[in-house]
Amino acid sequence: QSRLGSALHRLPATALRNGAKSIPALGLIALLWHFSLVREQLKRALCELAGREQQGASVALQQQGINVFICSSLVGGTGRGMLIDVAYQVRDLFSELGTQADFCHITGLGFLPQAFPGIPATNLNANAGSSLQQIDHLMVHGNFRARYPDGRTVQHREAPFDLFYVLDGVDERGRTWPGIHEL
């Protein structure tokens, strides 16, 4: 209720077995519903990566930090609804690494409507525009704050991503890719 406000009561009754049906709020609900599991998996993966760096000088010379890539559609519901929160969860977990966190980076990769040929465009463009506005705002201003089901509050002044790229279905030569798998 605190995250979705009145939008919570306007959401359709649906099961999330096949995605969030272009409704980002359903993607956020899915993340919140499984928050403890998601956070634990992220923490385990980052701890494993951080441990590899501390195994010896030769490994430490090859890697200066952890690079996390978060890829998501900007036009749908599931990934789009949890993209920002996942980035800030990773950033929050980075802060637990101490000085090693200074060498950790988060790169976002978002897919625009043209990356999904053949998908009905009902909400694709509106979701993409909304996604880009939200990401732009946070990249420029930061100041994210959210409370999660386990009682944890995550608050960061910095941007969610160190870099954020967008891809659509057309490459630099103007060639259209036939689908998301080829892209």
Side-chain angles (χ1 to χ4, degrees):
Q1 178 71 28
S2 67
R3 292 290 299 275
L4 298 173
S6 63
L8 183 62
H9 303 291
R10 293 191 308 266
L11 293 174
T14 183
L16 289 175
R17 291 187 184 108
N18 297 313
K21 307 292 184 212
S22 297
I23 303 171
L26 291 177
L28 178 59
I29 288 172
L31 172 68
L32 296 175
W33 187 264
H34 297 287
F35 179 75
S36 296
L37 176 64
V38 171
R39 175 130 176 137
E40 185 57 37
Q41 290 292 324
L42 288 172
K43 185 174 186 172
R44 187 175 304 142
L46 292 176
C47 286
E48 183 179 325
L49 291 170
R52 286 184 188 162
E53 287 188 355
Q54 297 171 357
Q55 288 177 359
S58 62
V59 175
L61 289 174
Q62 293 172 7
Q63 290 182 306
Q64 293 184 2
I66 299 171
N67 295 312
V68 173
F69 288 81
I70 301 173
C71 305
S72 174
S73 161
L74 297 178
V75 301
T78 307
R80 157 63 179 106
M82 61 179 72
L83 176 65
I84 299 295
D85 285 84
V86 168
Y88 277 112
Q89 286 301 316
V90 170
R91 191 157 303 288
D92 192 56
L93 289 165
F94 277 167
S95 67
E96 294 179 9
L97 296 175
T99 58
Q100 187 179 11
D102 294 339
F103 300 103
C104 297
H105 300 280
I106 302 172
T107 300
L109 183 60
F111 298 97
L112 294 172
Q114 286 183 313
F116 304 96
I119 303 292
T122 309
N123 295 322
L124 300 187
N125 292 328
N127 282 355
S130 171
S131 299
L132 292 171
Q133 280 185 317
Q134 183 181 28
I135 291 166
D136 180 61
H137 177 81
L138 290 168
M139 292 296 285
V140 172
H141 304 288
N143 291 327
F144 178 85
R145 184 180 197 287
R147 188 168 171 272
Y148 292 95
D150 65 355
R152 175 186 321 274
T153 297
V154 170
Q155 185 168 346
H156 285 278
R157 290 180 184 241
E158 57 270 348
F161 305 98
D162 296 292
L163 292 170
F164 193 84
Y165 297 101
V166 291
L167 291 175
D168 64 12
V170 180
D171 67 14
E172 66 276 2
R173 295 183 199 135
R175 186 178 49 188
T176 301
W177 292 89
I180 190 69
H181 298 291
E182 292 81 3
L183 181 65

